[in-house]
Amino acid sequence: LRLATVLLHAAASAAFSLPALPSRAAPRCAVACGFSVDTVDQKAIEDLGVFNWPGLERRVQDFADAAVSGKLKMVYVKSGSATIEDGEDSADISAGQMVMIDDKGETRWSKISEEGLVLLSCETVLAEEGAAAEEAVAASAGQRDLSGKPLG
């Protein structure tokens, strides 16, 4: 979760100007895993503005989910429980937990509780993608054309 927390911090700071989730538990999956799970407290939920996130859905059947390439998808489980897996690892999730899905592949959500799942979600740029874009802008800022005039 340290990697996910770092990514979340960088992504949330860049995209939303919000503080990161506190690191609370040891990782549940290897770094190569396409998702991580963390239990979040009320302060973190408020700081991240979770209840203002654009994605709101209720799920009652098994489904697949993935993040877009170069993005981190953050999913807050408002109510219900399920099992999430990515082919390499699986985790049981429940209300009050945050699932962070990176762009390494698809996740399957199954064993959804009888009352279903209520999920809030948003996507943000992964730290590496954001850093690469910042480096490109910084690099082009110092570049000059053949006449010596600054580019851009």
Side-chain angles (χ1 to χ4, degrees):
L1 279 181
R2 291 193 190 279
L3 173 63
T5 302
V6 169
L7 291 174
L8 178 61
H9 174 62
S13 296
F16 299 110
S17 299
L18 297 173
L21 291 173
S23 178
R24 297 210 187 291
R28 289 188 179 193
C29 58
V31 173
C33 177
F35 71 93
S36 63
V37 180
D38 197 9
T39 300
V40 294
D41 61 20
Q42 189 61 36
K43 179 163 177 21
I45 292 167
E46 291 170 9
D47 289 347
L48 288 167
V50 169
F51 294 114
N52 294 319
W53 286 358
L56 171 63
E57 57 188 318
R58 182 169 185 267
R59 297 288 191 145
V60 294
Q61 297 179 2
D62 295 358
F63 67 99
D65 200 2
V68 176
S69 180
K71 301 264 182 141
L72 174 71
K73 184 170 187 175
M74 297 178 287
V75 181
Y76 176 71
V77 182
K78 185 172 184 320
S79 65
S81 63
T83 298
I84 183 172
E85 59 185 314
D86 67 354
E88 294 180 20
D89 203 5
S90 68
D92 294 328
I93 54 119
S94 60
Q97 291 186 305
M98 182 78 65
V99 178
M100 290 164 278
I101 306 169
D102 66 24
D103 62 351
K104 288 185 174 48
E106 186 174 89
T107 58
R108 292 276 319 145
W109 298 60
S110 61
K111 301 178 187 167
I112 296 172
S113 57
E114 285 186 31
E115 71 271 14
L117 284 171
V118 175
L119 306 171
L120 298 153
S121 64
C122 72
E123 287 188 338
T124 188
V125 176
L126 284 169
E128 295 86 20
E129 297 289 327
E134 288 176 15
E135 287 175 16
V137 169
S140 68
Q143 293 180 350
R144 300 184 176 275
D145 66 14
L146 294 175
S147 69
K149 295 179 185 175
L151 292 175

